[in-house]
Structure formats: structure tokens, C-alpha cells
mmCIF file of all heavy atoms in Angstrom:
data_model
loop_
_atom_site.group_PDB
_atom_site.id
_atom_site.type_symbol
_atom_site.label_atom_id
_atom_site.label_comp_id
_atom_site.label_asym_id
_atom_site.label_seq_id
_atom_site.Cartn_x
_atom_site.Cartn_y
_atom_site.Cartn_z
ATOM 1 N N GLU A 1 46.732 60.291 62.809
ATOM 2 C CA GLU A 1 48.030 60.673 62.251
ATOM 3 C C GLU A 1 48.623 59.543 61.419
ATOM 4 O O GLU A 1 49.278 59.786 60.406
ATOM 5 C CB GLU A 1 48.997 61.035 63.385
ATOM 6 C CG GLU A 1 49.000 62.482 63.789
ATOM 7 C CD GLU A 1 50.175 62.825 64.678
ATOM 8 O OE1 GLU A 1 50.609 61.936 65.446
ATOM 9 O OE2 GLU A 1 50.682 63.958 64.617
ATOM 10 N N ASP A 2 48.406 58.310 61.864
ATOM 11 C CA ASP A 2 48.946 57.146 61.155
ATOM 12 C C ASP A 2 48.034 56.685 60.022
ATOM 13 O O ASP A 2 48.266 55.602 59.451
ATOM 14 C CB ASP A 2 49.161 55.998 62.142
ATOM 15 C CG ASP A 2 50.211 56.332 63.187
ATOM 16 O OD1 ASP A 2 51.040 57.212 62.914
ATOM 17 O OD2 ASP A 2 50.186 55.733 64.275
ATOM 18 N N ASP A 3 46.985 57.458 59.718
ATOM 19 C CA ASP A 3 46.043 57.148 58.631
ATOM 20 C C ASP A 3 45.354 55.805 58.832
ATOM 21 O O ASP A 3 45.059 55.085 57.862
ATOM 22 C CB ASP A 3 46.763 57.163 57.267
ATOM 23 C CG ASP A 3 47.306 58.542 56.924
ATOM 24 O OD1 ASP A 3 46.679 59.541 57.325
ATOM 25 O OD2 ASP A 3 48.376 58.612 56.271
ATOM 26 N N GLU A 4 45.071 55.436 60.069
ATOM 27 C CA GLU A 4 44.336 54.208 60.330
ATOM 28 C C GLU A 4 42.853 54.455 60.105
ATOM 29 O O GLU A 4 42.311 55.481 60.537
ATOM 30 C CB GLU A 4 44.572 53.735 61.771
ATOM 31 C CG GLU A 4 45.993 53.297 62.048
ATOM 32 C CD GLU A 4 46.125 52.717 63.448
ATOM 33 O OE1 GLU A 4 45.072 52.437 64.066
ATOM 34 O OE2 GLU A 4 47.260 52.553 63.921
ATOM 35 N N PRO A 5 42.158 53.564 59.438
ATOM 36 C CA PRO A 5 40.712 53.743 59.207
ATOM 37 C C PRO A 5 39.958 53.851 60.527
ATOM 38 O O PRO A 5 40.231 53.109 61.483
ATOM 39 C CB PRO A 5 40.318 52.484 58.430
ATOM 40 C CG PRO A 5 41.595 51.965 57.848
ATOM 41 C CD PRO A 5 42.671 52.339 58.817
ATOM 42 N N ALA A 6 38.995 54.774 60.570
ATOM 43 C CA ALA A 6 38.255 54.984 61.811
ATOM 44 C C ALA A 6 37.345 53.808 62.146
ATOM 45 O O ALA A 6 36.974 53.623 63.313
ATOM 46 C CB ALA A 6 37.427 56.263 61.697
ATOM 47 N N ASP A 7 36.967 53.008 61.133
ATOM 48 C CA ASP A 7 36.052 51.889 61.376
ATOM 49 C C ASP A 7 36.794 50.580 61.619
ATOM 50 O O ASP A 7 36.205 49.501 61.529
ATOM 51 C CB ASP A 7 35.095 51.736 60.190
ATOM 52 C CG ASP A 7 35.847 51.521 58.876
ATOM 53 O OD1 ASP A 7 37.081 51.695 58.872
ATOM 54 O OD2 ASP A 7 35.201 51.190 57.870
ATOM 55 N N THR A 8 38.097 50.664 61.929
ATOM 56 C CA THR A 8 38.897 49.465 62.172
ATOM 57 C C THR A 8 39.395 49.455 63.612
ATOM 58 O O THR A 8 39.916 50.459 64.100
ATOM 59 C CB THR A 8 40.097 49.402 61.211
ATOM 60 O OG1 THR A 8 39.624 49.388 59.867
ATOM 61 C CG2 THR A 8 40.925 48.152 61.466
ATOM 62 N N LEU A 9 39.201 48.332 64.277
ATOM 63 C CA LEU A 9 39.672 48.164 65.649
ATOM 64 C C LEU A 9 40.905 47.271 65.649
ATOM 65 O O LEU A 9 40.982 46.295 64.891
ATOM 66 C CB LEU A 9 38.585 47.530 66.516
ATOM 67 C CG LEU A 9 37.267 48.299 66.651
ATOM 68 C CD1 LEU A 9 36.282 47.499 67.497
ATOM 69 C CD2 LEU A 9 37.505 49.664 67.255
ATOM 70 N N THR A 10 41.874 47.605 66.491
ATOM 71 C CA THR A 10 43.063 46.775 66.635
ATOM 72 C C THR A 10 42.971 46.010 67.948
ATOM 73 O O THR A 10 42.888 46.616 69.021
ATOM 74 C CB THR A 10 44.342 47.632 66.623
ATOM 75 O OG1 THR A 10 44.408 48.357 65.385
ATOM 76 C CG2 THR A 10 45.578 46.759 66.759
ATOM 77 N N VAL A 11 42.955 44.702 67.854
ATOM 78 C CA VAL A 11 42.843 43.819 69.022
ATOM 79 C C VAL A 11 44.201 43.170 69.246
ATOM 80 O O VAL A 11 44.740 42.490 68.363
ATOM 81 C CB VAL A 11 41.760 42.751 68.822
ATOM 82 C CG1 VAL A 11 41.669 41.858 70.051
ATOM 83 C CG2 VAL A 11 40.417 43.415 68.533
ATOM 84 N N GLY A 12 44.768 43.384 70.409
ATOM 85 C CA GLY A 12 46.073 42.815 70.718
ATOM 86 C C GLY A 12 45.973 41.638 71.667
ATOM 87 O O GLY A 12 45.300 41.720 72.699
ATOM 88 N N THR A 13 46.610 40.545 71.321
ATOM 89 C CA THR A 13 46.746 39.387 72.212
ATOM 90 C C THR A 13 48.216 39.327 72.595
ATOM 91 O O THR A 13 49.051 38.721 71.905
ATOM 92 C CB THR A 13 46.298 38.095 71.504
ATOM 93 O OG1 THR A 13 44.977 38.276 70.975
ATOM 94 C CG2 THR A 13 46.299 36.922 72.469
ATOM 95 N N LEU A 14 48.565 39.983 73.679
ATOM 96 C CA LEU A 14 49.962 40.229 74.007
ATOM 97 C C LEU A 14 50.304 39.701 75.391
ATOM 98 O O LEU A 14 49.450 39.639 76.281
ATOM 99 C CB LEU A 14 50.258 41.742 73.958
ATOM 100 C CG LEU A 14 49.933 42.444 72.629
ATOM 101 C CD1 LEU A 14 50.000 43.956 72.790
ATOM 102 C CD2 LEU A 14 50.896 41.971 71.546
ATOM 103 N N THR A 15 51.541 39.319 75.553
ATOM 104 C CA THR A 15 52.047 38.876 76.847
ATOM 105 C C THR A 15 53.309 39.667 77.194
ATOM 106 O O THR A 15 54.000 40.202 76.319
ATOM 107 C CB THR A 15 52.381 37.369 76.834
ATOM 108 O OG1 THR A 15 53.327 37.107 75.792
ATOM 109 C CG2 THR A 15 51.127 36.547 76.615
ATOM 110 N N TYR A 16 53.591 39.710 78.472
ATOM 111 C CA TYR A 16 54.738 40.473 78.969
ATOM 112 C C TYR A 16 56.040 39.764 78.597
ATOM 113 O O TYR A 16 56.198 38.570 78.815
ATOM 114 C CB TYR A 16 54.625 40.614 80.485
ATOM 115 C CG TYR A 16 55.795 41.289 81.149
ATOM 116 C CD1 TYR A 16 55.922 42.671 81.131
ATOM 117 C CD2 TYR A 16 56.765 40.550 81.810
ATOM 118 C CE1 TYR A 16 56.978 43.303 81.747
ATOM 119 C CE2 TYR A 16 57.828 41.166 82.444
ATOM 120 C CZ TYR A 16 57.926 42.542 82.404
ATOM 121 O OH TYR A 16 58.987 43.158 83.026
ATOM 122 N N LEU A 17 56.949 40.556 78.019
ATOM 123 C CA LEU A 17 58.243 40.006 77.607
ATOM 124 C C LEU A 17 59.369 40.503 78.509
ATOM 125 O O LEU A 17 60.309 39.767 78.797
ATOM 126 C CB LEU A 17 58.532 40.377 76.155
ATOM 127 C CG LEU A 17 59.806 39.832 75.518
ATOM 128 C CD1 LEU A 17 59.771 38.301 75.489
ATOM 129 C CD2 LEU A 17 59.986 40.377 74.112
ATOM 130 N N GLY A 18 59.300 41.734 78.930
ATOM 131 C CA GLY A 18 60.348 42.292 79.777
ATOM 132 C C GLY A 18 60.148 43.788 79.935
ATOM 133 O O GLY A 18 59.226 44.386 79.376
ATOM 134 N N ALA A 19 61.014 44.413 80.709
ATOM 135 C CA ALA A 19 60.961 45.861 80.947
ATOM 136 C C ALA A 19 62.342 46.449 80.706
ATOM 137 O O ALA A 19 63.367 45.827 81.018
ATOM 138 C CB ALA A 19 60.489 46.163 82.370
ATOM 139 N N GLY A 20 62.360 47.644 80.135
ATOM 140 C CA GLY A 20 63.619 48.319 79.876
ATOM 141 C C GLY A 20 64.076 48.148 78.435
ATOM 142 O O GLY A 20 63.627 47.255 77.706
ATOM 143 N N TRP A 21 64.982 49.024 78.023
ATOM 144 C CA TRP A 21 65.572 48.914 76.686
ATOM 145 C C TRP A 21 66.529 47.739 76.640
ATOM 146 O O TRP A 21 67.106 47.357 77.673
ATOM 147 C CB TRP A 21 66.305 50.205 76.332
ATOM 148 C CG TRP A 21 65.395 51.388 76.276
ATOM 149 C CD1 TRP A 21 65.231 52.344 77.221
ATOM 150 C CD2 TRP A 21 64.503 51.729 75.208
ATOM 151 N NE1 TRP A 21 64.291 53.265 76.835
ATOM 152 C CE2 TRP A 21 63.831 52.920 75.586
ATOM 153 C CE3 TRP A 21 64.217 51.168 73.970
ATOM 154 C CZ2 TRP A 21 62.882 53.531 74.776
ATOM 155 C CZ3 TRP A 21 63.275 51.789 73.157
ATOM 156 C CH2 TRP A 21 62.627 52.955 73.564
ATOM 157 N N ARG A 22 66.727 47.189 75.470
ATOM 158 C CA ARG A 22 67.568 45.990 75.351
ATOM 159 C C ARG A 22 69.017 46.308 75.666
ATOM 160 O O ARG A 22 69.719 45.494 76.258
ATOM 161 C CB ARG A 22 67.441 45.406 73.942
ATOM 162 C CG ARG A 22 66.040 44.895 73.642
ATOM 163 C CD ARG A 22 65.969 44.219 72.285
ATOM 164 N NE ARG A 22 66.833 43.033 72.233
ATOM 165 C CZ ARG A 22 66.997 42.303 71.130
ATOM 166 N NH1 ARG A 22 66.399 42.668 70.000
ATOM 167 N NH2 ARG A 22 67.772 41.242 71.142
ATOM 168 N N THR A 23 69.469 47.512 75.280
ATOM 169 C CA THR A 23 70.845 47.920 75.583
ATOM 170 C C THR A 23 70.844 49.388 75.987
ATOM 171 O O THR A 23 69.895 50.140 75.714
ATOM 172 C CB THR A 23 71.773 47.739 74.367
ATOM 173 O OG1 THR A 23 71.379 48.651 73.332
ATOM 174 C CG2 THR A 23 71.733 46.308 73.846
ATOM 175 N N ASP A 24 71.916 49.819 76.627
ATOM 176 C CA ASP A 24 72.064 51.237 76.976
ATOM 177 C C ASP A 24 72.163 52.101 75.719
ATOM 178 O O ASP A 24 71.721 53.251 75.713
ATOM 179 C CB ASP A 24 73.310 51.437 77.845
ATOM 180 C CG ASP A 24 73.158 50.843 79.225
ATOM 181 O OD1 ASP A 24 72.002 50.608 79.629
ATOM 182 O OD2 ASP A 24 74.182 50.610 79.904
ATOM 183 N N GLY A 25 72.743 51.548 74.660
ATOM 184 C CA GLY A 25 72.824 52.288 73.400
ATOM 185 C C GLY A 25 71.451 52.545 72.805
ATOM 186 O O GLY A 25 71.175 53.637 72.288
ATOM 187 N N ASP A 26 70.550 51.546 72.879
ATOM 188 C CA ASP A 26 69.179 51.743 72.403
ATOM 189 C C ASP A 26 68.487 52.835 73.210
ATOM 190 O O ASP A 26 67.759 53.671 72.658
ATOM 191 C CB ASP A 26 68.387 50.443 72.515
ATOM 192 C CG ASP A 26 68.781 49.434 71.442
ATOM 193 O OD1 ASP A 26 69.603 49.785 70.568
ATOM 194 O OD2 ASP A 26 68.273 48.292 71.480
ATOM 195 N N ALA A 27 68.691 52.831 74.519
ATOM 196 C CA ALA A 27 68.078 53.855 75.371
ATOM 197 C C ALA A 27 68.563 55.246 74.973
ATOM 198 O O ALA A 27 67.777 56.202 74.898
ATOM 199 C CB ALA A 27 68.389 53.571 76.838
ATOM 200 N N LEU A 28 69.869 55.370 74.707
ATOM 201 C CA LEU A 28 70.427 56.663 74.309
ATOM 202 C C LEU A 28 69.798 57.163 73.014
ATOM 203 O O LEU A 28 69.377 58.321 72.907
ATOM 204 C CB LEU A 28 71.941 56.525 74.143
ATOM 205 C CG LEU A 28 72.653 57.733 73.519
ATOM 206 C CD1 LEU A 28 72.596 58.919 74.461
ATOM 207 C CD2 LEU A 28 74.089 57.372 73.161
ATOM 208 N N LEU A 29 69.709 56.280 72.017
ATOM 209 C CA LEU A 29 69.176 56.694 70.718
ATOM 210 C C LEU A 29 67.685 57.047 70.796
ATOM 211 O O LEU A 29 67.248 58.071 70.267
ATOM 212 C CB LEU A 29 69.392 55.576 69.701
ATOM 213 C CG LEU A 29 70.855 55.271 69.354
ATOM 214 C CD1 LEU A 29 70.942 53.982 68.555
ATOM 215 C CD2 LEU A 29 71.458 56.427 68.575
ATOM 216 N N ALA A 30 66.898 56.207 71.446
ATOM 217 C CA ALA A 30 65.459 56.446 71.529
ATOM 218 C C ALA A 30 65.153 57.707 72.324
ATOM 219 O O ALA A 30 64.290 58.513 71.939
ATOM 220 C CB ALA A 30 64.764 55.235 72.152
ATOM 221 N N ASN A 31 65.851 57.910 73.424
ATOM 222 C CA ASN A 31 65.596 59.093 74.254
ATOM 223 C C ASN A 31 66.048 60.370 73.557
ATOM 224 O O ASN A 31 65.411 61.419 73.681
ATOM 225 C CB ASN A 31 66.305 58.953 75.601
ATOM 226 C CG ASN A 31 65.730 57.825 76.439
ATOM 227 O OD1 ASN A 31 64.643 57.329 76.161
ATOM 228 N ND2 ASN A 31 66.457 57.397 77.454
ATOM 229 N N THR A 32 67.151 60.298 72.817
ATOM 230 C CA THR A 32 67.611 61.471 72.073
ATOM 231 C C THR A 32 66.616 61.842 70.983
ATOM 232 O O THR A 32 66.295 63.023 70.779
ATOM 233 C CB THR A 32 68.991 61.198 71.456
ATOM 234 O OG1 THR A 32 69.922 60.857 72.493
ATOM 235 C CG2 THR A 32 69.502 62.423 70.716
ATOM 236 N N ALA A 33 66.109 60.839 70.270
ATOM 237 C CA ALA A 33 65.117 61.113 69.232
ATOM 238 C C ALA A 33 63.842 61.717 69.833
ATOM 239 O O ALA A 33 63.232 62.614 69.251
ATOM 240 C CB ALA A 33 64.790 59.822 68.482
#
């Protein structure tokens, strides 16, 4: 759907930052959408 090439792999080097939305307003907007 995002038109990513099928022959391309995405490798993530990620660390945990936190859990939950940053604000209650962000949660409202994201959940409504």
C-alpha cells in the first residue's frame, strides 16, 4: 500500500523510549482518526 519496493528490506535499530501517547489530546485525535 505504501509503494515500498518488494526487493527492499527495512532494518530497524531501535530502543525503547516510553509507552503511551505524549498527551491526552494526542490520544483523542489518534483514536478518533
Side-chain angles (χ1 to χ4, degrees):
E1 270 193 328
D2 296 337
D3 296 328
E4 293 185 13
D7 58 349
T8 301
L9 300 178
T10 301
V11 180
T13 307
L14 304 169
T15 57
Y16 176 79
L17 183 62
W21 298 101
R22 295 185 63 183
T23 66
D24 291 341
D26 286 355
L28 171 67
L29 294 169
N31 294 345
T32 302

